[in-house]
Amino acid sequence: MNVWSQLHQAHKPFFIFAPMDDVTDTVFREVVARAAKPDLTMTEFASSDGFAHPKGRPSVEQRLRVNDTEVELAVPLIAQIWGNHPDHYYAMAKDLAARQQFAGIDINMGCPEKGIVKRGCCGGLIKAENWENAAAIIEATKAGAGNLPVSVKTRIGLGTIITEEWVSHLLKQDIAALIIHGRTVREMSRVPAHWDEIGKAVKLRDQLAPKTLMIGNGDVLSRNQGERLAAAYNLDGIMIGRGVFQDPFVFASKEAEHPPEEMFAILLHHVNLYDSTWGDAKSYNPLKRFFKMYVSGFPGAAELRARLMDTKTPDEARKIMGRITPSGIVA
């Protein structure tokens, strides 16, 4: 039984931690899972085209890294890949299946980054002229993946909403799951997600591919909200991305208060794990995007955040963290 079937039997709805570029590395996935485990998580976007070339391979491997400490948490992990050439997808999927680290492979057909879309990758595959290639990519990935299930994450259109046409095309490709972000590529995250279109996609699934699981994504900021949306639109699962920045405990089954000292402890763990995992192999600056999620909502939070944002190394951040009292005030 594949991971999607297992989730479907165990949870309704199940919750997935969304793939986010330069965010969901092995470090942050572990941090979130230690706070409150999602039912499933995904890697950062990993390029199948980069994977195929010696010069691009090291960067891709960094995105696919899985620490032993993350493995111990036993949250199923799916590798999300993207690119433009079916043969590259086949080779990468075959390699990933052989590693036995991943529970499945997801194809990114929704990322709205302009340069990538222009090349006919990710969200660019939604262009009608690229539909044939999208189908070829899915077929090649399934062939390479062997027993690993293949899913697709996409949006509801490029510039205009074409849910019925595009989703119908994908559902005819015999995929294990379809994750719908309820916006077009050009809308990015600037407008509220169109959940009515996600509901329309579910009805199409019922008609065309009853075995394909449907997951909704867009503007979900809490587990309770996700459960309501899943019930309203008959979804099998909910994906949460940016909501984790407002609450690292977003996947918890029960809401609870988390005092500043608890958040500081998680921040310190995050800094230490980032440092021990990446060292000089990765810039320190991406770590700063997480500071606000740990340091907010108490007197002196803005000042403390400003001090942390001025740091240039993990050691500098640790020194500041070491001078925090239980009340959150820098001594």
Side-chain angles (χ1 to χ4, degrees):
M1 185 183 297
N2 69 50
V3 68
W4 292 107
S5 298
Q6 291 171 351
L7 288 176
H8 188 240
Q9 288 191 7
H11 309 280
K12 183 68 184 285
F14 49 79
F15 282 83
I16 305 173
F17 186 18
M20 290 179 281
D21 194 40
D22 218 12
V23 173
T24 52
D25 64 353
T26 184
V27 172
F28 192 48
R29 294 194 305 262
E30 178 177 333
V31 168
V32 170
R34 288 190 182 280
K37 288 185 181 182
D39 298 309
L40 183 72
T41 190
M42 293 191 178
T43 67
E44 299 176 83
F45 320 151
S47 170
S48 60
D49 298 335
F51 190 85
H53 297 286
K55 290 184 178 180
R57 186 74 171 262
S59 175
V60 176
E61 290 290 356
Q62 193 178 72
R63 292 167 177 268
L64 295 171
R65 178 165 175 171
V66 186
N67 283 344
D68 290 342
T69 48
E70 181 188 2
V71 173
E72 291 169 2
L73 294 172
V75 177
L77 176 64
I78 284 181
Q80 194 191 67
I81 64 178
W82 66 278
N84 200 27
H85 301 284
D87 55 334
H88 292 169
Y89 276 89
Y90 171 81
M92 188 173 184
K94 190 171 183 178
D95 184 284
L96 293 175
R99 298 185 188 203
Q100 299 184 331
Q101 290 179 305
F102 302 105
I105 296 173
D106 185 74
I107 303 172
N108 185 328
M109 293 192 179
C111 177
E113 202 278 322
K114 289 183 179 179
I116 291 174
V117 171
K118 189 174 182 180
R119 286 160 47 196
C121 303
C122 298
L125 287 165
I126 303 176
K127 293 181 182 179
E129 65 200 64
N130 295 326
W131 285 17
E132 184 177 341
N133 196 39
I137 284 169
I138 294 171
E139 190 62 31
T141 305
K142 290 194 297 182
N147 292 328
L148 285 185
V150 173
S151 56
V152 171
K153 184 174 186 292
T154 192
R155 290 179 175 240
I156 55 174
L158 186 65
T160 58
I161 294 173
I162 54 167
T163 304
E164 185 169 355
E165 300 91 334
W166 173 236
V167 169
S168 295
H169 178 67
L170 293 177
L171 288 171
K172 292 173 184 176
Q173 310 309 317
D174 188 26
I175 51 179
L178 182 58
I179 303 155
I180 305 288
H181 181 117
R183 297 183 178 92
T184 67
V185 170
R186 289 176 186 158
E187 285 176 332
M188 300 185 75
S189 296
R190 292 190 291 258
V191 302
H194 305 285
W195 279 86
D196 55 333
E197 294 296 321
I198 296 174
K200 184 185 294 183
V202 173
K203 293 178 181 178
L204 291 168
R205 181 279 307 271
D206 295 342
Q207 298 169 15
L208 300 172
K211 293 183 180 179
T212 298
L213 301 186
M214 298 294 290
I215 297 91
N217 174 226
D219 300 334
V220 182
L221 302 180
S222 72
R223 188 182 183 99
N224 285 340
Q225 179 195 6
E227 289 174 345
R228 292 194 300 271
L229 288 167
Y233 296 104
N234 194 30
L235 288 156
D236 301 294
I238 294 290
M239 177 173 275
I240 299 179
R242 290 179 301 155
V244 79
F245 284 98
Q246 296 194 24
D247 180 11
F249 295 87
V250 70
F251 294 107
S253 57
K254 295 182 180 179
E255 294 185 8
E257 292 293 326
H258 301 281
E261 53 266 31
E262 182 180 6
M263 301 302 286
F264 298 156
I266 300 173
L267 170 57
L268 182 59
H269 172 68
H270 193 162
V271 172
N272 288 339
L273 186 59
Y274 190 94
D275 191 20
S276 63
T277 297
W278 300 120
D280 294 332
K282 200 170 182 179
S283 169
Y284 171 72
N285 285 332
L287 188 58
K288 295 182 180 182
R289 72 177 62 190
F290 301 101
F291 290 162
K292 188 175 182 180
M293 66 185 285
Y294 302 117
V295 185
S296 61
F298 60 87
E303 179 188 358
L304 178 54
R305 266 202 321 275
R307 294 190 188 190
L308 286 167
M309 291 300 291
D310 284 339
T311 61
K312 295 179 174 61
T313 67
D315 280 341
E316 291 181 8
R318 280 189 284 258
K319 286 179 182 178
I320 291 175
M321 296 300 295
R323 297 198 299 271
I324 298 175
T325 68
S327 64
I329 305 299
V330 178

